Amino acid sequence: MLELQTPVQFVKGVGPSRAQDLAGKNIHTVEDLLYTLPYRYEDRTRFCRVSDLQPGAKTSILAEVLTAGLRATRKRRFRIFELAAHDKTGRIRCKWFHSEYLQQRKIFRRGQQVIFHGKFELDPYGSGNLQVINPEFEILDADAAVSSRDSIEMGRIVPVYEAARGLGTRTLRRLIHTILSSLSPVPETLPTAILERHDLMDRRPALQESHFPSPGTRVEDLAARRTPALRRMIFEELFLLEVGIRWKRRLARKVRGMPFRIDPGLLRAAGNFLPFRPTRAQERVLDEMAEDMRRPNPMNRLLQGDVGCGKTVVALQAGAIAMENGAQVAFMAPTEILAEQHHHYARRLFAQSGYRIGLLTGGLKKADRNALLEELSQGRLQILIGTHALLEPDVTFRKLGLVIIDEQHRFGVRQRFNLMKKGVHPHTLVMTATPIPRTLSMTLYGDLDVSVIDEMPPNRRSVKTHLLDDLKRSRAYRFIADQVRQGRQVYVLCPLIEESEKLDLRPARKIFEHLQGQVFPDFRVELLHGRLKSIEKDAIMKRFAAGRSDILVSTTVIEVGMDVANATVMLIEHAERFGLAQLHQLRGRVGRGPEPSYCLLMQGSRTIGPEAVQRLNCLRETTDGFVIAEKDLEIRGPGEFFGTRQSGLPTLRVANLLRDRRVLETARREAAALVDNFDSQKSLGRWVAGLSSGWQARYGLVGVG
Ligand code: ADP
Ligand code: MG
């Protein structure tokens, strides 16, 4: 009998080399294998006949191989592997690109029965025959081709797994089948009351059904992950994730921090140094933070707000509260330029206050650095602003009371904690302009309370966005010339610096040379890119900020935080190559002053993919960061949207935060009730002990028991 914790090498059919392949996929135990779920299911009770294939349809067919081999093409050294196959009703052709291994390893032979899965299309060169490009395939054993009743390959709904090196879908299928047929009883992970309340399937049958669905299960339901079995698996994963989050939150709430004295006079003082009236949203957020910092346990707050909504000011107001309470402030930003900008801004804002404000970046001279750190550790410096350089071990504060992290999605959770460790449970404020839908932010930033600035400062002009292509380039240049003559400044954004052979891109340097040399010889054009020394970068940015250059050709190094109110045009080359969030950030660099502003999205001359079209259209239609974030999430899916490094979340095996948002809500509610109702750590620990140790680690429940 196999237990969930049994190492995979004890499963029949797994030798040392296969165990290694499995380990490469992070599969070490029987349980890991069982939680490797199919990514699709195939109904092999009946196949589509070749004569019934609809062009454009994605489906599976069963056919017999006629011929197979590499074929040369007109392009030298570019060969296609081609295969012809037929069933009783007709012929199809399969083509694979970059798949020489099919030849080398002699995968196909005449007469084989093979299942092909893919999108069948009319062959553009053929005689009305259908072809399929890069289909998935599964070669059937000679005797399995005829459907037999207890086959796991045929005559039923068959699971298809993500194949990896040395691990085909069939291998996985067989291993999992073996496990399921010799598995000891598995402990239930979900409390009975929850199973009953939400009508969830028990764990054992859910595992069985998720891999080998009973006859009669609808393939569409499986594909949408809404069968009872899959629903249970998804709930389980999200529930345990939320228990972990809730648990960590409960721990954080118990910590004693540094309660600040905050009275109306102090709050007024924190507002006095502003050169403008804060927006209502800014006032509200300051109140929320003040309320947090007054309490004995430390503030843990995420401040969300679109680019340009004025987060920095509010953060510095929180800083003022800390400093009035005799505490120091650490303010970390992802780039030197941004750190400098904050430094500059803070100095201006606090010019009358007598607070001492320092800037620490990687480029600082040794002597200056030492002097700065000395002041800091003695408590003579009140605010230290800087980059990752703040994290270095010799940076010590005398009394760190508030940690501020700008553009927090650029940092990992670990970096946040490392900065916090430089104080004794300081208050923490993290900021982001990448808005995240609320349902998700509660999971991604579960240990944080969330504030939102949902209002722009008055007199902001919204940015007009246009989509252009090469044909309209000269018009775009005339428009730019016009703006510069009116005294405005312009950004030209490009994806790369150097010419790249593979990609047909207009690199930044080429564009710069062209613009300065031919298009705008009378204007002051500068080139900014990531490979410059930071001193040079700074000088270029400063000249632009001071109005001593007109056009800044740049790679995305300016993406974050540049604040030049006189810049009114953002031209983005190869806009189709940028992500939605990034385009939104880039566009946020203009529209910061009283003049009307424009974002020109220049698409590369080639045709662009459907996702890119969606992105560019979305951008043209809205400037609302939340709408854009939702769309981004929809296009890209949450996996990519939030790198796990940033969020600190485990990669999900079954659930999908976007697709399963409703389940997520329910799971979160139940998790909160469970964690909050356990009166002691011990009773919660007893429950957690029932989960396998792998799960405890995975969902952050290690310290509970
Ligand atoms: P972000 O939220 O993108 O970090 P910033 O804090 O950099 O935005 O603010 C953008 C600009 O708006 C800054 O120049 C800032 O001085 C200005 N600003 C912020 N709040 C207000 C306000 N209430 N009224 C007028 N200008 C403001
Ligand atoms: Mg900012």
Side-chain angles (χ1 to χ4, degrees):
M1 291 296 258
L2 295 167
E3 307 275 335
L4 289 175
Q5 290 325 301
T6 310
V8 277
Q9 63 263 34
F10 298 119
V11 177
K12 201 169 133 251
V14 180
S17 109
R18 189 154 279 166
Q20 208 164 32
D21 289 337
L22 286 164
K25 270 191 104 175
N26 229 343
I27 297 172
H28 307 284
T29 62
V30 162
E31 185 168 53
D32 292 339
L33 253 176
L34 285 176
Y35 278 82
T36 305
L37 290 193
Y39 78 95
R40 69 179 178 87
Y41 299 83
E42 194 162 272
D43 186 352
R44 295 189 183 169
T45 54
R46 57 197 165 85
F47 287 96
C48 185
R49 295 185 306 179
V50 169
S51 61
D52 292 340
L53 282 173
Q54 298 292 323
K58 201 162 188 184
T59 185
S60 306
I61 62 157
L62 173 61
E64 185 184 314
V65 176
L66 293 168
T67 60
L70 276 176
R71 199 170 57 77
T73 65
R74 247 168 277 149
K75 270 194 216 155
R76 230 162 54 83
R77 305 208 311 148
F78 182 68
R79 295 193 295 171
I80 299 179
F81 190 86
E82 246 186 48
L83 177 148
H86 71 168
D87 68 3
K88 291 199 183 73
T89 68
R91 250 174 100 118
I92 52 129
R93 193 172 289 283
C94 304
K95 292 180 182 167
W96 286 267
F97 300 104
H98 312 293
S99 296
E100 316 242 315
Y101 78 98
L102 292 173
Q103 176 89 356
Q104 284 150 12
R105 304 207 344 238
K106 300 199 171 51
I107 304 282
F108 293 107
R109 277 189 309 277
R110 190 182 172 83
Q112 276 171 334
Q113 297 286 324
V114 182
I115 295 166
F116 297 102
H117 176 84
K119 197 164 162 190
F120 292 82
E121 312 261 21
L122 281 174
D123 181 350
Y125 306 107
S127 48
N129 274 345
L130 288 177
Q131 70 165 20
V132 55
I133 311 269
N134 293 336
E136 293 175 34
F137 60 86
E138 196 174 321
I139 301 167
L140 298 180
D141 291 341
D143 53 346
V146 208
S147 74
S148 70
R149 241 185 314 130
D150 42 340
S151 164
I152 60 169
E153 319 281 359
M154 293 296 289
R156 56 149 69 221
I157 294 173
V158 173
V160 181
Y161 302 89
E162 195 99 47
R165 237 172 64 95
L167 279 173
T169 184
R170 295 182 90 182
T171 308
L172 287 167
R173 187 184 300 139
R174 285 180 182 177
L175 290 178
I176 291 169
H177 191 260
T178 306
I179 289 173
L180 283 168
S181 50
S182 52
L183 189 63
S184 347
V186 301
E188 179 51 78
T189 47
L190 297 175
T192 319
I194 291 181
L195 288 173
E196 281 171 5
R197 207 155 31 239
H198 302 287
D199 196 16
L200 295 168
M201 193 183 259
D202 289 336
R203 191 183 188 197
R204 179 65 177 80
L207 283 167
Q208 177 76 35
E209 286 285 315
S210 302
H211 292 281
F212 295 97
S214 313
T217 312
R218 289 163 40 127
V219 180
E220 305 86 82
D221 290 342
L222 290 163
R225 303 293 186 271
R226 59 176 180 230
T227 60
L230 289 168
R231 210 163 54 83
R232 136 99 216 190
M233 300 295 283
I234 290 167
F235 184 93
E236 175 183 65
E237 180 159 56
L238 294 177
F239 175 74
L240 291 174
L241 174 70
E242 293 291 343
V243 168
I245 289 170
R246 188 72 181 191
W247 165 249
K248 275 179 261 177
R249 192 182 165 92
R250 179 166 152 174
L251 282 189
R253 296 294 178 277
K254 284 211 180 122
V255 167
R256 259 202 82 82
M258 200 185 291
F260 289 156
R261 180 190 56 82
I262 297 173
D263 53 42
L266 183 75
L267 272 182
R268 229 175 300 119
N272 275 346
F273 62 84
L274 297 186
F276 41 69
R277 249 187 85 91
T279 59
R280 284 227 299 283
Q282 285 171 319
E283 275 174 352
R284 188 189 63 231
V285 170
L286 181 63
D287 284 345
E288 284 166 358
M289 291 191 299
E291 199 47 51
D292 284 356
M293 292 189 288
R294 195 201 302 273
R295 275 186 295 196
N297 48 318
M299 166 166 85
N300 259 307
R301 196 165 276 279
L302 169 71
L303 175 53
Q304 286 193 37
D306 219 339
V307 263
C309 71
K311 295 183 290 295
T312 318
V313 176
V314 183
L316 290 173
Q317 283 183 293
I321 292 175
M323 292 185 288
E324 287 299 316
N325 277 273
Q328 290 170 297
V329 181
F331 192 152
M332 183 162 73
T335 64
E336 292 202 1
I337 288 160
L338 196 52
E340 241 199 50
Q341 221 168 272
H342 286 325
H343 179 240
H344 187 72
Y345 194 75
R347 297 257 298 235
R348 232 172 41 203
L349 217 52
F350 292 127
Q352 312 296 324
S353 68
Y355 299 138
R356 287 192 42 77
I357 304 171
L359 175 68
L360 181 67
T361 59
L364 207 59
K365 281 206 211 76
K366 190 133 196 251
D368 295 339
R369 183 170 188 276
N370 288 343
L372 191 70
L373 293 187
E374 171 92 15
E375 271 195 74
L376 184 71
S377 60
Q378 291 176 350
R380 282 185 285 129
L381 194 73
Q382 275 86 35
I383 309 185
L384 185 62
I385 300 179
T387 55
H388 299 87
L390 296 191
L391 297 173
E392 270 160 42
D394 58 343
V395 178
T396 48
F397 292 80
R398 186 177 155 84
K399 188 184 176 192
L400 178 60
L402 173 65
V403 164
I404 302 170
I405 298 179
D406 195 16
E407 305 293 347
Q408 90 90 34
H409 58 283
R410 293 295 194 93
F411 296 100
V413 248
R414 177 143 320 130
Q415 286 168 314
R416 179 170 104 217
F417 287 123
N418 283 346
L419 189 52
M420 287 161 72
K421 271 195 231 133
K422 293 186 182 284
V424 183
H425 304 302
H427 298 288
T428 304
L429 176 68
V430 303
M431 305 194 282
T432 181
T434 306
I436 290 154
R438 189 176 157 72
T439 30
L440 292 181
S441 67
M442 291 184 58
T443 295
L444 289 166
Y445 303 117
D447 54 336
L448 302 173
D449 298 303
V450 179
S451 289
V452 180
I453 299 184
D454 49 6
E455 185 183 352
M456 283 290 171
N459 310 328
R460 280 294 157 78
R461 311 282 298 243
S462 79
V463 180
K464 281 214 177 59
T465 302
H466 299 280
L467 283 183
L468 305 171
D469 56 24
D470 253 339
L471 298 174
K472 302 207 180 101
R473 183 174 289 281
S474 51
R475 260 175 70 191
Y477 287 160
R478 280 202 300 279
F479 180 75
I480 286 175
D482 199 50
Q483 289 281 311
V484 175
R485 275 189 217 101
Q486 290 176 36
R488 304 286 88 77
Q489 287 162 286
V490 175
Y491 296 103
V492 175
L493 248 287
C494 327
L496 291 171
I497 340 165
E498 303 294 348
E499 197 136 17
S500 137
E501 290 217 339
K502 273 200 235 120
L503 304 168
D504 183 19
L505 294 179
R506 292 166 59 89
R509 186 180 316 269
K510 266 276 167 61
I511 290 182
F512 164 73
E513 283 161 8
H514 178 66
L515 290 183
Q516 181 71 91
Q518 273 111 60
V519 189
F520 306 120
D522 303 336
F523 298 155
R524 297 161 300 179
V525 186
E526 295 225 52
L527 174 64
L528 180 74
H529 58 78
R531 294 206 207 144
L532 291 171
K533 290 215 191 74
S534 62
I535 295 188
E536 294 171 296
K537 265 191 264 183
D538 277 9
I540 294 170
M541 304 274 281
K542 274 187 193 137
R543 281 198 291 277
F544 190 72
R548 284 189 283 122
S549 62
D550 304 309
I551 299 177
L552 186 61
V553 178
S554 168
T555 56
T556 51
V557 290
I558 66 149
E559 174 189 344
V560 162
M562 264 296 262
D563 190 20
V564 179
N566 191 45
T568 55
V569 182
M570 166 66 68
L571 182 145
I572 304 179
E573 295 282 354
H574 291 286
E576 74 279 3
R577 302 192 64 85
F578 292 94
L580 200 41
Q582 203 176 16
L583 287 169
H584 178 61
Q585 283 268 339
L586 289 169
R587 179 169 62 181
R589 299 308 109 212
V590 294
R592 300 188 151 232
E595 307 297 332
S597 293
Y598 307 87
C599 176
L600 309 181
L601 300 172
M602 187 67 78
Q603 102 175 43
S605 47
R606 300 272 191 86
T607 47
I608 60 177
E611 283 190 6
V613 171
Q614 277 189 54
R615 286 200 295 272
L616 298 183
N617 280 333
C618 169
L619 212 66
R620 189 170 56 177
E621 281 154 21
T622 183
T623 51
D624 182 327
F626 276 86
V627 174
I628 289 173
E630 292 265 0
K631 189 74 192 175
D632 200 20
L633 199 59
E634 202 180 289
I635 299 175
R636 286 205 283 163
E640 267 190 69
F641 192 75
F642 320 106
T644 29
R645 190 181 68 83
Q646 273 83 7
S647 64
L649 287 186
T651 24
L652 299 176
R653 298 187 282 202
V654 198
N656 169 316
L657 291 180
L658 186 62
R659 182 192 64 211
D660 304 320
R661 269 196 256 192
R662 297 271 283 284
V663 186
L664 181 64
E665 298 263 7
T666 316
R668 177 185 308 131
R669 244 193 356 261
E670 288 290 4
L674 181 89
V675 173
D676 297 351
N677 288 338
F678 279 118
D679 46 352
S680 67
Q681 173 164 344
K682 224 159 122 204
S683 52
L684 179 61
R686 269 199 299 275
W687 179 77
V688 169
L691 302 170
S692 75
S693 58
W695 288 48
Q696 293 165 19
R698 190 173 164 76
Y699 297 108
L701 292 162
V702 173
V704 179

